[in-house]
Amino acid sequence: MAALRRLAAGLGSSLLRRPGEAAVGRCGVRALRRSPVRVLPPQKERGAAAQEQQRPREPPPPPPPAVERSSAGPGLWYEKAAPGDRRLGKVVTIAKSKKFRDHHGKVLLEGHRLIKDALEAGAVLQTLFFSTVGHLKELPEAELKRANLVKVKFEDIKSWSDLVTPQGLIGIFSKPDHAKMSYPAAQLTSSLPLLLICDNIRDPGNLGTILRCAAGAGCEKVLLTKGCVDPWEPKVLRAGMGAHFRLPIVANLDWESVPSNLPAGVQVCVADNKDPGAQAETASVPRGAGGPGSAPGSPKAPVKSKPKAAPEREDEEGAVGVCVPELAAQCYYENWTQTPVAVVIGGETHGVSPDALHLAASTGGKRLVIPVAPGVDSLNSAIAAGIMLFEGKRQLLRRHKQEDERQVVPVVG
């Protein structure tokens, strides 16, 4: 009876199922418990993965070698640059940029003499690249101990040097401050009340030669107005031959601040090639007049200075010009020195600016003329500076000698 009931129940449930619906039983349970299907990659990818797993792993790169340091004397240690060290090239490239020099306050000096003069004058050495230890023995040891010394191959210095025959020495210094420098005692004792003002000297070789002439003549100070080339450019340093560390050089001055850097009672004179016997042609300098080849101090020079320092006026034709004061003119070999005196040297292209002429007029200065042969427009600025400065030195020494003779009291026997 029980068997019949179970059979009837099974038949009823089968009749009630929808077509295609699977019976719920152990088979369905088993299907749910099966693991997911594993998707295999293609045969090529499986082979590459197997080879990658079987390939031996490369050892990690070795750590950078320790810095090799050696001794060049008691308390004097230097570092040997490893192969591939790029510090020298990087530093030299950056230090040659004026933007870097102004922003970071660093300058590059090359050569034994220039570096030695800088150290003796109190310039602060930061890093010194050298090729042989013998170079260190020729420099002040006390200053070297406070710097970072790096020994490199001579070929590396030669590849980055600007010299035809490099000496194997390149130094990175803090930008010197003229107020903190210790100039040579011999230079200070032979200094004269003679100053030089460079007006728009743009050629590096000319400026370096002018600074060298100023140091040789015994100038008290050199002032560089805005528009002059940077005195710490490598070409200026090479042409200066150490003049940067023998007398104060004040750079990047505007004309409003020039008088504050001059001694009291100074007379400012300007170099010119205008014939002192010639009559003045005009009392104003038209803007844009003149051109290449204009003489230093020529009144026909384009205006490159600030308008407020040189007043403007409009002529009858409507052209805007700059009023230029009339200055007495005389030959450079005539007496023009007084104590103290300053000489303005202008650039070859534009000559002396109207601001320089106004400064000379306000101090009772003169035009100092260097006569040249007809057809010659002007002299090189460095040559003109040498002539003016050494003539000023000759006149000042003669005046001092005459004053000393007057003070000598004759002894009556």
Side-chain angles (χ1 to χ4, degrees):
M1 195 65 176
L4 291 174
R5 290 177 183 173
R6 285 194 298 270
L7 180 61
L11 291 174
S13 60
S14 61
L15 292 175
L16 294 174
R17 282 199 305 265
R18 296 178 182 176
E21 185 178 354
V24 180
R26 297 183 65 182
C27 293
V29 175
R30 287 176 186 170
L32 293 175
R33 291 179 180 177
R34 289 175 184 171
S35 60
V37 179
R38 182 180 180 184
V39 180
L40 298 177
Q43 185 66 26
K44 293 183 179 180
E45 296 184 8
R46 280 186 288 173
Q51 292 179 3
E52 185 68 23
Q53 292 178 358
Q54 295 176 1
R55 182 181 301 173
R57 295 184 179 179
E58 298 180 359
V67 176
E68 184 179 355
R69 300 181 65 86
S70 302
S71 175
L76 189 61
W77 293 86
Y78 64 88
E79 172 188 347
K80 289 185 179 179
D85 194 327
R86 299 181 180 179
R87 284 180 296 174
L88 174 61
K90 183 178 179 181
V91 168
V92 171
T93 302
I94 296 176
K96 289 181 179 180
S97 168
K98 182 180 183 300
K99 185 177 180 180
F100 173 87
R101 293 193 298 267
D102 295 339
H103 182 69
H104 296 277
K106 296 180 181 180
V107 297
L108 182 147
L109 305 181
E110 183 176 2
H112 171 266
R113 177 176 178 179
L114 195 58
I115 292 177
K116 185 178 180 181
D117 289 345
L119 292 174
E120 292 178 348
V124 180
L125 176 64
Q126 295 185 357
T127 304
L128 179 67
F129 297 94
F130 63 96
S131 58
T132 60
V133 180
H135 291 314
L136 301 181
K137 299 179 181 179
E138 301 173 356
L139 299 175
E141 184 177 337
E143 283 73 14
L144 293 180
K145 290 182 178 180
R146 294 191 288 265
N148 182 26
L149 309 179
V150 183
K151 186 176 184 296
V152 298
K153 294 182 179 180
F154 180 78
E155 289 75 12
D156 295 337
I157 292 183
K158 186 176 181 180
S159 63
W160 290 104
S161 174
D162 289 334
L163 304 180
V164 179
T165 56
Q167 300 179 15
L169 274 177
I170 294 180
I172 305 299
F173 285 77
S174 300
K175 193 171 183 180
D177 183 1
H178 69 91
K180 300 179 181 178
M181 299 292 287
S182 301
Y183 299 103
Q187 186 78 25
L188 297 177
T189 54
S190 60
S191 177
L192 296 171
L194 178 64
L195 296 91
L196 175 65
I197 303 175
C198 294
D199 182 12
N200 210 26
I201 304 294
R202 298 183 178 182
D203 184 81
N206 282 346
L207 181 59
T209 305
I210 290 173
L211 297 177
R212 188 177 180 183
C213 290
C219 284
E220 178 182 328
K221 185 188 298 185
V222 177
L223 306 181
L224 308 180
T225 62
K226 289 183 177 179
C228 290
V229 65
D230 183 16
W232 300 107
E233 184 176 302
K235 291 183 180 180
V236 181
L237 288 164
R238 288 199 302 272
M241 294 293 292
H244 295 70
F245 308 105
R246 296 189 173 276
L247 78 166
I249 301 173
V250 187
N252 202 32
L253 293 174
D254 51 32
W255 283 102
E256 286 77 8
S257 59
V258 168
S260 62
N261 288 274
L262 295 174
V266 67
Q267 184 184 56
V268 179
C269 300
V270 297
D272 196 4
N273 73 335
K274 180 182 176 182
D275 185 1
Q279 206 170 10
E281 297 180 359
T282 180
S284 66
V285 179
R287 290 192 179 276
S294 299
S298 173
K300 299 179 181 180
V303 177
K304 294 292 180 180
S305 54
K306 293 187 177 181
K308 62 180 180 180
E312 298 180 355
R313 69 179 180 86
E314 187 173 341
D315 58 16
E316 296 178 357
E317 298 179 358
V320 178
V322 176
C323 296
V324 175
E326 292 292 336
L327 296 177
Q330 66 178 53
C331 290
Y332 77 97
Y333 49 79
E334 298 174 349
N335 184 30
W336 52 270
T337 57
Q338 69 173 24
T339 304
V341 64
V343 178
V344 181
I345 300 293
E348 295 177 23
T349 303
H350 304 300
V352 175
S353 64
D355 290 325
L357 299 177
H358 278 277
L359 178 62
S362 64
T363 61
K366 305 175 181 178
R367 290 182 181 268
L368 305 178
V369 181
I370 303 177
V372 295
V376 179
D377 292 334
S378 65
L379 294 177
N380 177 275
S381 297
I383 299 298
I387 294 174
M388 289 295 180
L389 293 178
F390 279 91
E391 173 61 22
K393 177 180 181 179
R394 185 190 68 82
Q395 294 186 17
L396 287 173
L397 291 178
R398 183 184 62 182
R399 172 171 293 186
H400 292 169
K401 183 178 179 180
Q402 293 174 353
E403 292 177 355
D404 293 339
E405 291 176 352
R406 293 194 193 100
Q407 295 177 359
V408 176
V409 179
V411 179
V412 179

